[in-house]
Amino acid sequence: MQIMLAPLQKRFKYHFSGNRQTNVLSKPEWYLTQVLMWIGNHAKFLEDKIQPILDKAGFLVNARLEFSRALVMLILEKLAADIPCLLYDDNLFCHLVDEVLLFERELHTVHGYLSSFPSCMHILSEETCFQRWLTVERKFALQKMDSMLSSEAAWISQYKDITDVDEMKVPDCAETFMTLLLVITDRYKNLPTAARKLQFLELQKDLVDDFRIRLTQVMKEESRTPLAFRYCAILNAVNYIATVLADWADNVFFLQLQQAALEVCADSSMLSKLQVGQLAAMETSVFDDMINLLERLKQDMLTRQEDHVFREVKDAAKMYKKER
């Protein structure tokens, strides 16, 4: 195995270290793609020729996976060397994270790499790198939220002309926001520890709260006309986000995070015995605080509409009474 790996390791270090033109901080995809190509190109030979030899010799080793693991170690060394050089360049760092996540996805889904093996996610989970990732993720998410709310189509449904698809009349900004949260989940779901996943979950909850506050501000601007198009679109957005979060709370991934949060809280005495009991009994979810705030906003908006309709009916009744 080492005889096969040696020339590849030599080529990797030749091309992706020192002053070579192929060693560029802004192009992590070059070395990530190269390793994936080597893994793919050698898979059949390893399975057909090398694995039978190992099996015959009595070695309980998977040739293809061990070959992949050795090449991934080159990536880990490269990342450990490069990351400190681009930590404070948001665009370069974000690009690196994007490419690493794509690499990890293909490595596991296409090449069957085991989650128990060393992976790039361990490098991204190291404290300095991880905190930077959280910061950059928050920054770009907030920028996207600014963009989606300032868009001319923010309060218009993408499916307004398809009645059977648009029962909730969800405005574009709400749907885009929930897609953003879904993408963030997909980015952190393969982190190696529950503690790191919980930190990302807190980021998502912060973003939901930020979006709720923004919706509240726009709602107050529109509160003089609570039956107008934009006010109703905001109400639909609030209802949609609360509904989707309630659905997510039953997702296996978030149930696992709920269990992890329970263990953390039990160890640190952050919650009361009643709250810990509710979490353990699945009576509450990781999104309950956010859902409750959204439901409160929804009820406040509905009350404003009811009061407005009542006043209009009352005023119309007064005019009718006068005419009689």
Side-chain angles (χ1 to χ4, degrees):
M1 185 73 71
Q2 190 54 45
I3 293 171
M4 289 180 61
L5 285 165
L8 298 180
Q9 292 166 333
K10 188 174 181 180
R11 283 175 62 187
F12 185 94
K13 287 172 182 175
Y14 176 84
H15 287 294
F16 304 116
S17 62
N19 297 321
R20 305 292 174 192
Q21 290 183 337
T22 44
N23 183 33
V24 186
L25 281 175
S26 61
K27 296 291 183 182
E29 59 269 33
W30 286 356
Y31 60 83
L32 294 169
T33 302
Q34 182 64 75
V35 164
L36 287 173
M37 195 180 301
W38 283 339
I39 291 172
N41 290 346
H42 287 79
K44 184 171 174 55
F45 176 78
L46 288 163
E47 288 175 349
D48 294 349
K49 304 297 183 183
I50 305 299
Q51 191 62 53
I53 296 171
L54 293 174
D55 293 343
K56 191 175 181 180
F59 291 109
L60 300 175
V61 173
N62 184 305
R64 184 173 52 80
L65 290 177
E66 288 303 321
F67 181 83
S68 299
R69 172 158 52 179
L71 292 178
V72 167
M73 293 307 296
L74 293 172
I75 298 285
L76 301 191
E77 291 171 14
K78 175 68 175 162
L79 288 174
D82 282 2
I83 284 175
C85 302
L86 44 77
L87 266 181
Y88 300 103
D89 186 315
D90 289 352
N91 291 322
L92 284 182
F93 182 76
C94 193
H95 178 61
L96 174 72
V97 171
D98 289 344
E99 291 299 328
V100 166
L101 293 175
L102 288 172
F103 169 80
E104 282 285 315
R105 184 177 296 122
E106 184 169 343
L107 187 65
H108 288 275
T109 58
V110 176
H111 301 293
Y113 194 75
L114 301 181
S115 57
S116 58
F117 281 8
S119 81
C120 301
M121 301 309 285
H122 291 89
I123 298 288
L124 294 184
S125 295
E126 291 177 1
E127 184 65 21
T128 304
C129 181
F130 183 77
Q131 293 306 325
R132 190 64 188 155
W133 182 12
L134 271 180
T135 300
V136 171
E137 203 78 36
R138 183 189 300 273
K139 174 187 172 182
F140 284 111
L142 291 172
Q143 287 177 358
K144 287 172 186 172
M145 287 161 62
D146 289 339
S147 175
M148 65 182 73
L149 284 169
S150 60
S151 164
E152 290 182 5
W155 307 108
I156 300 170
S157 168
Q158 294 179 23
Y159 313 105
K160 63 180 186 300
D161 299 324
I162 314 174
T163 52
D164 58 337
V165 173
D166 194 30
E167 290 181 3
M168 298 182 78
K169 311 241 178 264
V170 183
D172 184 66
C173 65
E175 192 154 2
T176 306
F177 175 67
M178 296 312 289
T179 301
L180 171 65
L181 291 186
L182 200 59
V183 169
I184 291 174
T185 302
D186 193 52
R187 287 164 71 80
Y188 78 81
K189 69 182 181 182
N190 292 319
L191 282 167
T193 66
R196 291 307 194 200
K197 292 175 187 175
L198 286 171
Q199 286 178 270
F200 257 103
L201 177 63
E202 285 304 311
L203 168 62
Q204 288 178 300
K205 289 162 72 173
D206 288 346
L207 293 175
V208 171
D209 201 41
D210 188 286
F211 200 74
R212 177 189 63 84
I213 291 168
R214 292 175 191 228
L215 290 178
T216 303
Q217 290 168 343
V218 181
M219 179 272 288
K220 287 178 178 175
E221 293 169 8
E222 303 292 327
S223 59
R224 291 184 180 179
T225 53
L227 298 182
F229 171 78
R230 182 173 287 197
Y231 187 95
C232 293
I234 297 166
L235 178 56
N236 289 340
V238 172
N239 181 55
Y240 174 71
I241 294 169
T243 302
V244 173
L245 289 178
D247 288 343
W248 286 2
D250 294 328
N251 180 283
V252 172
F253 175 73
F254 289 112
L255 289 173
Q256 289 171 341
L257 283 190
Q258 181 174 339
Q259 182 61 35
L262 173 65
E263 291 168 7
V264 170
C265 293
D267 290 343
S268 61
S269 302
M270 288 169 60
L271 299 179
S272 68
K273 288 183 179 179
L274 173 62
Q275 290 172 312
V276 170
Q278 288 175 328
L279 271 174
M282 299 297 180
E283 292 175 11
T284 60
S285 76
V286 290
F287 294 116
D288 266 15
D289 291 345
M290 295 298 101
I291 293 170
N292 291 338
L293 288 170
L294 289 163
E295 287 294 337
R296 194 180 306 166
L297 175 57
K298 183 173 85 171
Q299 289 307 315
D300 177 49
M301 293 183 73
L302 287 171
T303 300
R304 288 171 188 259
Q305 286 185 325
E306 291 165 3
D307 292 345
H308 181 80
V309 170
F310 182 74
R311 280 196 303 273
E312 283 194 339
V313 171
K314 194 175 179 181
D315 291 344
K318 283 180 182 177
M319 294 296 294
Y320 176 72
K321 194 174 180 181
K322 280 182 183 178
E323 287 174 7
R324 291 195 64 187

